[in-house]
DNA sequence: AATGAATGAGGCTTCATTCAT
DNA sequence: TATGAATGAAGCCTCATTCAT
């Protein structure tokens, strides 16, 4: 067994945990299985982490970070509607691209809710907050209040979560493609009716750096 | 310790299991906890059920039945749009009314997917099929093909599942009320753009009793 | 369920127990299985017997009685050698005829030894004693001391037990027939060398009725 | 608590299992008792073996190996009759020397028959095959066909098994010594009548070491 | 840094037995 | 007489965790 830095080992365990959680569920993700998946000794898990709980906390952070990435890699010049749709699409596409992540994320949400109550909310809040702030940026100088961006963020979350549940249940890529289109059209039509079909195609002028 | 009929005990165990699953998750739903919740002895579980698996199968049936009820208690005279929105609203309202059910349902979906593969899909399929057939009934003599009713069913599922995830995570009733309104408006605007804003308010003439 | 006399019920349980012991072993003979085999309710076992132990004691008596029968139904006129061989043959034949009995008998011997020590010996002693006394009867006025009849009894037991082990292991009737012949020839040749090849075909004169 | 290699621990468990099986029977040989007998923790059993079944398979192998040893450590120069009698005597002597082994062997035969059907036969077959091949070796250039060696092997098995049943039932060493003599004389006289009293004492010439 | 050995707690299940009707 | 309902003890097995090297 090659000597690997502790930091690398921890990363390996996090990724291994995602896979194992996806395959066996959060409670089927035993330390033994995670160690095996990571190609490490069982005792190594507790050498790198004080407890399984600690490892899962890291996995949790990893998932949160992923969501953060998915909601910040947007075109700062794009209008609100386009930005909203892109965030939804990117998220759904990443779910499809990485089913393990999708499953693990939902499992971790449940886990966090059960184990930590408020912490479960925190993931949601952080992810939603990312969406919200991105939306506010994209709103630019248009007259859109926070309540509205909140609603949009909620809707994106609805659709993304709903899509995830269906996708991980069926695991059918072709079906998923169709569902993504439906979700997109749902969001589009709702945005139109919510924000009006007007000027959102108007090229935007001002643009400050985001974040 | 009153002597209760085995049939009644089985019902008790099913309800107890829903509660315990909601609180501790599907894997935290140990026979001991379920027995305790049902006010019964641990061995009693195995007097009523051959195995924990068998009990869970009953819980599963219970959830499927609930979804069936939620998608069939509609006004057969009502137009498609109204029926669709009612199914979504009823489902969400039942989730809010019975958070345990909401959590347990999501947990069971994951459980069924992991343990039984196709069976997990079956729950979804059955629930969706209920929605679809109700929609087809409601379509009446309007010219709406099956692909469209399928899309509508999918969208209802999206929004219901997405709502559920948010509701069980936050557990905030006021927030849930807002989310329900958003989900309803999302569905409404999408239906309008999908089906057209036309005659669906026209009183429907023909309509024999279904089933 | 017809009302059956308690005595009959107990007999049913004994026979059921023999079958179940033969199939599942002494420890696999659970009260539930015995009740099922007897077509009775589980609680009925404890209605007829204070405990499983008590039932088994009855089964034990049943087996002992069977061995007694097998060693007393002989021709009182026959010479010693013939009587000895007949007892062995009858026993082996009954084993073959009733494999359940054969298995159950061996299981019960082990059970009695483990549970009761001296009681296990008792079965053996009773069976051997039956053989011995029958042999002494058959010895008639020939000059054969008790040590010799003991030896003969032992040898019969050897061969019968050894045959039983092989028979219940293979369960092959054709093989069993061959083994029976071998056992018989072994006994015959040993008796010849032990008692001498002399007058044992001489018709016997005296003969008082035995019991 | 000394740290012992897993291989050693497995050996310990096998020996412990033999003792426990001898004392409590095959079904009374619980993992807890075996662990206790081996001076180990209960969970240790499952650290060394995947299941109790696996442990028992090892015990089974151990017994088979013992029988193999008992039927192969013979004088390759000795004549058939002597070899046959030695195998029987050695087996009986080992039974007396190690009563636990004797009991465990009989219990395992029953266990294997119940649990595995053909596997139970396998033990017998292997042991018998050892006897047979040793006899064939010992037959040398004498004109003895396979049917005859088979018969002899059967007779040895008869007598050994029959002796075992008596010995483990009574547990009386003095009695056992007498029984061994009887068994030996039975075998001797039968061999004489079966093979003829002729040349088997003639020194054998040819005979290279086998294997 | 790494790992084989070890363990207490708790999981599901089965059993003989008793209770109440 | 007969039987469904109920239970405590004990079975096998798995888990996260720790110890010793």
């Amino acid at each position: 067994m090659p000597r690997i830095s502790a930091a690398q080992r921890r990363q390996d365990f996090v990724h291994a945990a995602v896979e194992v959680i996806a395959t066996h569920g959060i409670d089927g993700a035993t330390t033994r299985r995670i160690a095996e998946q990571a190609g490490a000794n069982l005792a190594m898990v507790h050498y790198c982490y004080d407890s399984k709980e600690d490892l899962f906390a890291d996995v949790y952070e990893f998932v949160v970070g992923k969501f953060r990435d998915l909601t910040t890699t947007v075109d700062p010049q794009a209008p609100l509607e386009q930005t909203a749709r892109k965030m939804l699409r990117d998220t759904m596409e990443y779910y499809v691209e990485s089913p393990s992540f999708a499953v693990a994320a939902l499992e971790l949400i449940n886990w966090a809710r059960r184990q930590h109550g408020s912490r479960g909310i925190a993931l949601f809040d952080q992810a939603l907050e990312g969406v919200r702030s991105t939306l506010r940026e994209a709103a630019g100088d248009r007259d859109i209040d926070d309540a509205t961006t909140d609603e949009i963020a909620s809707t994106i979350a609805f659709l993304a979560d709903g899509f995830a549940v269906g996708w991980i249940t069926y695991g059918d890529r072709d079906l998923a493609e169709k569902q993504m289109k439906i979700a997109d059209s749902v969001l589009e039509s709702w945005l139109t009716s919510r924000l009006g079909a007007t000027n959102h195609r108007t090229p935007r002028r001002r643009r400050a750096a985001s974040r």
Side-chain angles (χ1 to χ4, degrees), chain A residues 14-200:
Chain A
V14 168
H15 291 132
V18 168
E19 292 304 318
V20 174
I21 289 172
T23 307
H24 295 94
I26 196 84
D27 293 275
T30 65
T31 50
R32 195 178 300 273
R33 281 190 181 128
I34 292 170
E36 263 171 31
Q37 174 78 25
N41 181 280
L42 169 61
M44 200 64 204
V45 175
H46 285 85
Y47 185 78
C48 291
Y49 289 99
D50 278 350
S51 71
K52 190 186 171 185
E53 184 85 351
D54 280 4
L55 167 55
F56 276 25
D58 251 24
V59 178
Y60 190 78
E61 286 306 315
F62 169 77
V63 170
V64 170
K66 207 54 160 177
F67 278 116
R68 191 163 39 231
D69 292 347
L70 287 169
T71 55
T72 44
T73 57
V74 295
D75 175 8
Q77 302 296 335
L80 179 65
E81 288 81 355
Q82 204 166 307
T83 300
R85 289 170 64 190
K86 179 170 163 44
M87 284 192 286
L88 175 59
R89 269 201 311 268
D90 283 357
T91 302
M92 293 192 296
E93 269 163 13
Y94 187 69
Y95 282 159
V96 174
E97 182 186 327
S98 175
S100 296
F101 177 84
V103 177
L106 280 186
E107 291 275 346
L108 280 164
I109 287 172
N110 284 333
W111 170 79
R113 174 175 47 80
R114 276 202 305 272
Q115 302 294 321
H116 303 283
S118 59
R119 198 178 191 177
I121 297 177
L123 187 154
F124 245 63
D125 275 343
Q126 289 195 40
L128 271 179
E129 188 48 39
V131 176
R132 274 191 216 106
S133 62
T134 300
L135 288 174
R136 277 191 221 105
E137 291 278 345
D141 49 8
R142 280 167 68 189
D143 185 27
I144 297 174
D145 60 13
D146 283 0
T148 303
T149 49
D150 279 11
E151 270 189 40
I152 300 173
S154 279
T155 303
I156 292 173
F158 268 38
L159 295 168
D161 291 340
F163 169 81
V165 172
W167 155 239
I168 68 177
T169 300
Y170 284 96
D172 180 333
R173 275 202 148 71
D174 291 336
L175 180 59
E177 294 294 333
K178 280 199 279 191
Q179 305 280 50
M180 285 171 67
K181 287 206 181 87
I182 296 176
D184 185 42
S185 83
V186 168
L187 180 58
E188 182 188 26
S189 61
W190 180 72
L191 284 172
T192 302
S193 86
R194 187 72 182 72
L195 299 176
T198 52
N199 66 328
H200 63 274

